[in-house]
Amino acid sequence: MEQTDLTQLQQTDLDVMHEMMDEKENVSVVDFKMVTFSLAGKDYAIDIMQVKEIAKTGRFTYVPNAMPFVLGVYNLRGDIIPIIDLRLFFNIEVPERKDNAVENMLIVSVDDQLFGVVVDAIDKVLGIQKSTIQPPHPLFGDINIKYIQGVVESNNHLYILLDVERIFNTRITGKTSEGSVDTVYVNQTVPEIVPQQESPVQQAAKPVAKAAAEPAAPQQKNHEEDFTFVVDELKNLKKFYASNINDAWLKSRFSQWVSERGDKGSQLQNEADAEEFLGEFWSGCNGTWWTKEYADQVYKMLPDNSAKQIMVWNPGCGKGYESFSLACLLKKRYPESKIRIYAQEVDLLSVSNAPLMSIPDSYANDWYAPYVTKKVTGEFTFTQEIKDIIMFEYHDCTNSNALPMVDLIFARDILSFLPVEAQNTVVGDFDEKLKGNGIIILGDNESLGSGSNWGEKTVGSLTCYNKQ
């Protein structure tokens, strides 16, 4: 009897030892930690390496004309950070918010920039084995699959692991096998604008490199070197970025510039030179009211559309000249449709003052006449119907664009002033947001590039692009 009890005791001790070894082994394979939280009763998570801290606060400073999911900004120990409500971002129903109500907030870091992320409740820090993260599936959440990094099952809970970099519209940059910089897009194929080995700078550098091996005429060599210099100085002085979008104009303008300058030399010496060089880049009626001739060109470009509601994206709307002109023209072209223009600008003062614009008498009595009214002060302003068409927003189009599918994208002269990676990002968003029968109108001297997947149509100085 005693021998049996001893055998049972030894077996029990052996089982306990095995359990301890299994537990130790499980602990040793934890190579990924995530902060878990809930949204509308579902479990979500974020990589702990991107979470700086957890906070509770509700004293946000309102920012006018911001995107609907931006609650405002918050002073975090001297740093002013934007506050994003993930529920609004994902179109999840949010309970009615009380003034200064305390919110649960994660402070996350993306590319050294801090954001406050409001959630329903914050749960815990959970350690898992990275290999247990499963690929996302559309059925795992109410949100777009492109924002999901993966799904994790732990303790009978299914966690949706969010891709924070994707949510805040950043891209992962690395080296290709050839050594050139490449941009990796997560969960989405985005058309590239500039071939990786054929940027204008590289194209300009090729003849120079060749000239080093096979000496050419000194004057020709200088012009080729000057083109490279001009490209660099336009970026440094005016934030104008050479790419396939403006390559044709840039080369043509440089040839003209060399002829104009003569003995002055073709290099850009200062900001005044850069402004003079770009003087012919701007589209017709840029930064002013549209002439009837220009309005007629845009009118002819607009396709037939019998939809009850027509959605328009107008990034880089400036002070509002373009948006109001576009609203009047669209009302003329589609009188039976309800029109909504999302007009975006990064200049807070401009976008704040835009809804209050008056229009000079000379224009008010021209083709704008059916869409303006006279104030008691004698000034002309736009009718309420036209004002209601436009939603002016303080927003950078290189960040997440939570817009519906649109019929028209009107983006003149803005892509060339974005870094090339940002150009890729925005054109990728164009491709994603544009309806199948929609069109894109860029600046007069900008192009989506030959050999791309876009169809082209030209009217006067205007070219529009549609999906093929």
Side-chain angles (χ1 to χ4, degrees):
M1 182 70 175
E2 291 180 0
Q3 180 65 33
T4 303
D5 290 344
L6 181 60
T7 302
Q8 290 176 343
L9 183 60
Q10 289 174 337
Q11 183 63 44
T12 301
D13 289 344
L14 192 61
D15 291 342
V16 171
M17 184 175 69
H18 285 162
E19 288 179 6
M20 291 176 65
M21 290 176 64
D22 290 343
E23 185 175 336
K24 184 176 181 180
E25 184 179 353
N26 288 337
V27 171
S28 67
V29 296
V30 170
D31 57 2
F32 185 85
K33 290 186 178 181
M34 56 188 190
V35 178
T36 63
F37 56 92
S38 63
L39 294 173
K42 293 189 178 181
D43 295 318
Y44 294 83
I46 291 176
D47 184 351
I48 195 173
M49 299 303 293
Q50 293 179 303
V51 179
K52 290 300 182 183
E53 61 182 275
I54 294 172
K56 281 196 172 188
T57 186
R59 299 181 179 88
F60 307 134
T61 301
Y62 172 71
V63 178
N65 300 303
M67 298 296 284
F69 54 81
V70 179
L71 298 184
V73 293
Y74 175 66
N75 189 330
L76 180 68
R77 296 184 295 276
D79 291 329
I80 305 301
I81 65 173
I83 306 300
I84 309 300
D85 191 328
L86 273 187
R87 298 164 297 189
L88 294 175
F89 183 85
F90 293 139
N91 295 315
I92 297 174
E93 186 175 350
V94 181
E96 184 177 352
R97 181 176 279 106
K98 297 180 181 179
D99 292 341
N100 292 326
V102 175
E103 304 277 8
N104 295 300
M105 190 165 65
L106 295 168
I107 308 299
V108 301
S109 174
V110 183
D111 289 344
D112 297 326
Q113 183 174 356
L114 297 179
F115 297 87
V117 177
V118 171
V119 299
D120 283 338
I122 299 170
D123 186 15
K124 59 189 173 185
V125 174
L126 183 63
I128 62 167
Q129 189 173 357
K130 200 167 187 178
S131 61
T132 63
I133 301 175
Q134 300 297 314
H137 189 281
L139 297 179
F140 282 125
D142 301 324
I143 64 178
N144 193 318
I145 190 173
K146 74 177 183 179
Y147 299 125
I148 302 176
Q149 184 175 337
V151 291
V152 180
E153 186 174 5
S154 178
N155 297 326
N156 297 321
H157 283 270
L158 190 65
Y159 296 95
I160 300 171
L161 181 61
L162 297 179
D163 190 333
V164 175
E165 291 182 340
R166 185 50 134 163
I167 290 172
F168 291 101
N169 215 28
T170 62
R171 301 294 187 262
I172 303 169
T173 302
K175 294 285 185 179
T176 65
S177 58
E178 290 80 13
S180 59
V181 176
D182 194 11
T183 302
V184 180
Y185 294 85
V186 184
N187 295 336
Q188 182 185 22
T189 301
V190 178
E192 292 290 334
I193 298 173
V194 182
Q196 293 299 321
Q197 288 129 5
E198 290 297 330
S199 71
V201 176
Q202 292 166 321
Q203 291 172 355
K206 282 181 180 180
V208 176
K210 184 178 179 181
E214 302 176 13
Q219 185 65 26
Q220 179 66 23
K221 179 177 182 293
N222 288 339
H223 285 170
E224 290 163 351
E225 290 176 341
D226 285 353
F227 179 78
T228 303
F229 182 85
V230 165
V231 167
D232 290 338
E233 287 307 293
L234 287 174
K235 179 176 69 174
N236 296 332
L237 296 172
K238 301 303 294 183
K239 304 300 182 187
F240 181 95
Y241 294 85
S243 75
N244 206 35
I245 280 181
N246 50 49
D247 184 43
W249 176 84
L250 191 57
K251 290 178 177 177
S252 174
R253 175 59 178 143
F254 179 74
S255 297
Q256 180 186 19
W257 178 256
V258 170
S259 300
E260 291 175 354
R261 297 286 286 184
D263 295 338
K264 295 181 181 178
S266 55
Q267 294 187 3
L268 305 181
Q269 302 296 330
N270 48 47
E271 188 170 351
D273 281 351
E275 289 181 356
E276 184 181 349
F277 186 96
L278 292 176
E280 298 185 15
F281 172 77
W282 307 105
S283 299
C285 300
N286 180 293
T288 186
W289 300 110
W290 291 2
T291 62
K292 185 177 185 304
E293 291 72 23
Y294 187 80
D296 286 344
Q297 285 188 49
V298 178
Y299 185 91
K300 293 175 183 176
M301 188 71 75
L302 298 173
D304 293 336
N305 194 330
S306 58
K308 292 182 179 179
Q309 188 168 34
I310 294 177
M311 312 299 286
V312 181
W313 184 10
N314 180 210
C317 65
K319 295 183 178 180
Y321 297 103
E322 185 171 86
S323 301
F324 278 114
S325 301
L326 193 56
C328 295
L329 196 66
L330 291 171
K331 193 61 187 173
K332 178 181 178 181
R333 182 68 175 84
Y334 310 111
E336 303 302 322
S337 300
K338 181 178 180 182
I339 301 164
R340 166 66 77 181
I341 298 176
Y342 294 90
Q344 300 174 344
E345 180 54 59
V346 294
D347 185 332
L348 182 57
L349 184 61
S350 292
V351 81
S352 298
N353 291 333
L356 308 176
M357 290 189 75
S358 298
I359 181 169
D361 295 6
S362 57
Y363 287 98
N365 294 313
D366 197 5
W367 73 272
Y368 291 96
Y371 314 105
V372 300
T373 184
K374 203 169 190 176
K375 298 190 290 187
V376 293
T377 59
E379 293 181 310
F380 284 98
T381 187
F382 291 95
T383 63
Q384 193 60 45
E385 182 182 30
I386 293 297
K387 290 181 178 180
D388 290 342
I389 287 175
I390 309 170
M391 177 183 286
F392 285 104
E393 299 176 332
Y394 172 60
H395 181 69
D396 184 346
C397 65
T398 62
N399 295 328
S400 296
N401 293 292
L403 298 172
M405 297 295 287
V406 298
D407 301 271
L408 169 64
I409 297 174
F410 204 86
R412 301 190 309 161
D413 305 338
I414 67 164
L415 291 178
S416 295
F417 294 88
L418 302 176
V420 174
E421 286 188 14
Q423 293 179 22
N424 289 333
T425 298
V426 175
V427 172
D429 284 342
F430 287 175
D431 185 45
E432 181 179 323
K433 299 294 184 184
L434 188 67
K435 294 180 182 179
N437 62 341
I439 65 170
I440 301 173
I441 297 179
L442 302 181
D444 294 351
N445 294 302
E446 294 179 316
S447 167
L448 288 181
S450 59
S452 67
N453 294 324
W454 299 97
E456 296 185 17
K457 174 186 174 183
T458 300
V459 175
S461 64
L462 292 179
T463 300
C464 76
Y465 300 86
N466 65 306
K467 294 182 177 180
Q468 288 187 326

